[in-house]
Amino acid sequence: QKEVEQDPGPLSVPEGAIVSLNCTYSNSAFQYFMWYRQYSRKGPELLMYTYSSGNKEDGRFTAQVDKSSKYISLFIRDSQPSDSATYLCAMQLPAGGNKLVFGAGTILRVKS
Amino acid sequence: DTAVSQTPKYLVTQMGNDKSIKCEQNLGHDTMYWYKQDSKKFLKIMFSYNNKELIINETVPNRFSPKSPDKAHLNLHINSLELGDSAVYFCASRQGIGAGGVNEQFFGPGTRLTVL
């Protein structure tokens, strides 16, 4: 079993839809929970991060962490074609150089 | 202004060859990383350097050897290339590795390596 599990998709939605992306994890030591966005043929870029259980909102994006269930989510409201990308969840270990462990990434396609 | 740059962007080579990928960051960061992203988009850390010192060395074949001449550069040399080495290799950097704090990494554009 991988430390971080993420459904690779692809997930195809119409413009304006609410998108839900999810990851599960097995290591209770993970400290920070992140979402990176990667456009085609580009490097990943950090979209949002959270530290503890709960919600964090940034514009159309909401990150949610449930440590008791070892489950994190990213919600995108009013999705746009420009949101089409691969979304990678990443989790940070507190030791060993603050290593990040990434999920496999979910490919999202928003159709206009 | 390119924050993290990599050269070359594309690399096509034959099995058995030796090749190098170069990475430079102009962000003044202390820590740099190499990642491998396979065809299924799975991004896996390979190495990390902090101020030219190796701090993360994952289980990768010893054909892969990183080298950091200074804290702004981290190169990756690969000996005796194999078909399975075909992937996109990303360099990344971050400021400091102090206890606590989020490890926000800035990624380069990637080097697409194809081994024939």
Side-chain angles (χ1 to χ4, degrees):
Chain A
Q1 182 189 9
K2 290 180 181 172
E3 280 189 291
V4 179
E5 298 276 2
Q6 183 177 10
D7 185 341
L11 180 62
S12 186
V13 301
E15 184 176 354
I18 296 175
V19 175
S20 172
L21 304 167
N22 312 294
C23 289
T24 59
Y25 63 95
S26 57
N27 190 341
S28 300
F30 286 132
Q31 197 173 52
Y32 282 92
F33 304 88
M34 307 168 187
W35 288 95
Y36 277 79
R37 179 175 59 195
Q38 184 178 16
Y39 289 114
S40 181
R41 305 222 170 226
K42 301 286 187 184
E45 56 180 349
L46 182 64
L47 192 59
M48 294 182 70
Y49 70 88
T50 52
Y51 179 72
S52 59
S53 286
N55 294 351
K56 183 176 182 180
E57 191 174 314
D58 184 0
R60 296 184 296 110
F61 299 87
T62 299
Q64 193 173 76
V65 173
D66 182 348
K67 283 189 171 181
S68 62
S69 302
K70 296 189 176 69
Y71 188 88
I72 72 169
S73 300
L74 178 70
F75 298 97
I76 307 175
R77 290 184 300 281
D78 187 26
S79 55
Q80 303 295 309
S82 59
D83 294 329
S84 297
T86 298
Y87 290 80
L88 302 122
C89 62
M91 307 194 185
Q92 179 177 330
L93 286 169
N98 295 294
K99 186 175 80 169
L100 295 186
V101 180
F102 283 84
T106 300
I107 298 170
L108 172 66
R109 296 175 184 148
V110 181
K111 297 181 178 179
S112 58
Chain B
D1 274 353
T2 304
V4 182
S5 59
Q6 295 179 228
T7 53
K9 195 168 183 180
Y10 299 96
L11 186 53
V12 181
T13 188
Q14 299 288 330
M15 262 196 319
N17 284 350
D18 302 338
K19 290 293 178 185
S20 291
I21 306 171
K22 294 185 177 181
C23 178
E24 177 181 1
Q25 54 94 4
N26 62 7
L27 297 167
H29 288 169
D30 296 325
T31 306
M32 297 183 72
Y33 303 83
W34 276 113
Y35 285 88
K36 179 181 180 181
Q37 188 172 47
D38 61 26
S39 58
K40 295 183 179 180
K41 296 288 189 179
F42 188 57
L43 193 64
K44 187 167 173 57
I45 190 168
M46 301 173 70
F47 303 103
S48 176
Y49 270 75
N50 175 256
N51 274 325
K52 303 193 293 177
E53 179 184 350
L54 182 67
I55 56 170
I56 294 176
N57 186 357
E58 293 292 293
T59 307
V60 300
N62 57 15
R63 298 180 295 103
F64 290 80
S65 54
K67 187 171 182 181
S68 182
D70 56 61
K71 74 173 193 176
H73 296 84
L74 180 62
N75 304 323
L76 183 65
H77 188 76
I78 315 170
N79 289 326
S80 302
L81 278 155
E82 299 178 357
L83 293 176
D85 297 333
S86 295
V88 182
Y89 291 84
F90 285 100
C91 176
S93 73
R94 71 153 281 180
Q95 180 59 47
I97 57 164
V102 63
N103 183 355
E104 179 179 4
Q105 296 182 17
F106 294 80
F107 284 79
T111 295
R112 188 171 295 271
L113 172 64
T114 303
V115 182
L116 303 175

